[in-house]
Amino acid sequence: MASDPAHIFVVDDSADNRFLLQALLEDEGYKITTIESGQQLLDQVADEQPDLILLDIMMPEMSGYEATRYLRSREDLPFIPILLVTAHERSNVVEGLDTGADDFIRKPFNADELLARVRALLRLKRSVDAE
């Protein structure tokens, strides 16, 4: 298992943001699945559970907050760390964490900081899974 690359879902309604995150994370050796909406995330996570979800907050139809709340309500899912990503200064860190997200980062993000947060959340996932 340790030799398998971590699988990360990148969820963002912006194709440019999905491409940027995918390129950055694939360069680090991660397996990436890009998803365009909160509803597509919920549909896909039912079939395939990633090791981590990078989730944009501000999306049409279903916000990252709503998707996080729904994922955390699903008792049939294993623990999947969620890193909320936002470009909006008004996005509420407290609300994000209270909905069940594990971390929060603002765009434009520093690539090294984002990668450090990804590594930390993947360590958390491995630790939880080992229990």
Side-chain angles (χ1 to χ4, degrees), residues 45-59:
V45 83
D47 298 325
E48 180 181 17
Q49 286 86 47
D51 298 302
L52 173 64
I53 299 171
L54 268 66
L55 179 58
D56 185 36
I57 291 175
M58 304 302 284
M59 294 187 293

Side-chain angles (χ1 to χ4, degrees), residues 83-86 103-107 109-110 113-114 117:
L83 173 59
L84 291 177
V85 182
T86 186
D103 204 351
F104 191 100
I105 193 167
R106 292 189 192 281
K107 297 181 242 182
F109 50 79
N110 173 287
E113 179 185 354
L114 176 78
R117 290 174 186 271

Side-chain angles (χ1 to χ4, degrees), residues 16-91:
D16 288 344
N17 290 341
R18 288 192 309 273
F19 177 79
L20 173 70
L21 287 165
Q22 180 177 12
L24 179 66
L25 294 165
E26 282 181 344
D27 281 351
E28 296 297 310
Y30 299 117
K31 177 184 173 191
I32 305 303
T33 299
T34 59
I35 299 172
E36 296 178 20
S37 71
Q39 187 57 57
Q40 287 179 7
L41 167 64
L42 302 184
D43 294 343
Q44 187 137 359
V45 83
D47 298 325
E48 180 181 17
Q49 286 86 47
D51 298 302
L52 173 64
I53 299 171
L54 268 66
L55 179 58
D56 185 36
I57 291 175
M58 304 302 284
M59 294 187 293
E61 298 174 26
M62 178 183 293
S63 73
Y65 296 137
E66 293 168 309
T68 298
R69 207 172 286 117
Y70 179 79
L71 290 170
R72 291 301 185 231
S73 74
R74 295 269 313 267
E75 294 180 8
D76 59 318
L77 291 177
F79 170 70
I80 304 168
I82 299 172
L83 173 59
L84 291 177
V85 182
T86 186
H88 297 275
E89 284 300 316
R90 287 179 281 148
S91 293

